[in-house]
Amino acid sequence: MKFSKIDETDLIYWVNTPKLGEYIFTFDKKNLFNFWRDYPQKLTKEQIEIFKKENPILAKLKE
């Protein structure tokens, strides 16, 4: 599995997946989250705040 960050200072790692439109991310490279299925209900309050800060456009899609 390959992890990457949008900006070097980001806390979120994105997982490169072969499926178009699938957004898989992690904070620790162990626990994976699917944006469409898991955000925000499976994240902690702190993780949600980090996600909103680093990915405001995606976060707005789920408001």
Side-chain angles (χ1 to χ4, degrees), residues 19-53:
K19 293 183 180 179
L20 185 63
E22 183 174 62
Y23 299 110
I24 307 297
F25 63 96
T26 180
F27 294 89
D28 58 8
K29 295 185 179 179
K30 295 176 187 172
N31 299 304
L32 302 178
F33 299 99
N34 179 310
F35 173 73
W36 298 112
R37 188 175 52 238
D38 302 328
Y39 180 85
Q41 61 274 13
K42 291 190 179 177
L43 278 67
T44 66
K45 187 180 270 189
E46 180 183 68
Q47 289 171 328
I48 291 168
E49 291 305 314
I50 292 168
F51 192 92
K52 286 180 177 181
K53 180 181 176 197

Side-chain angles (χ1 to χ4, degrees), residues 35-36 39-40 48-49 52 55-63:
F35 173 73
W36 298 112
Y39 180 85
I48 291 168
E49 291 305 314
K52 286 180 177 181
N55 303 282
I57 296 170
L58 273 179
K60 284 197 180 277
L61 289 174
K62 297 289 288 258
E63 287 183 354

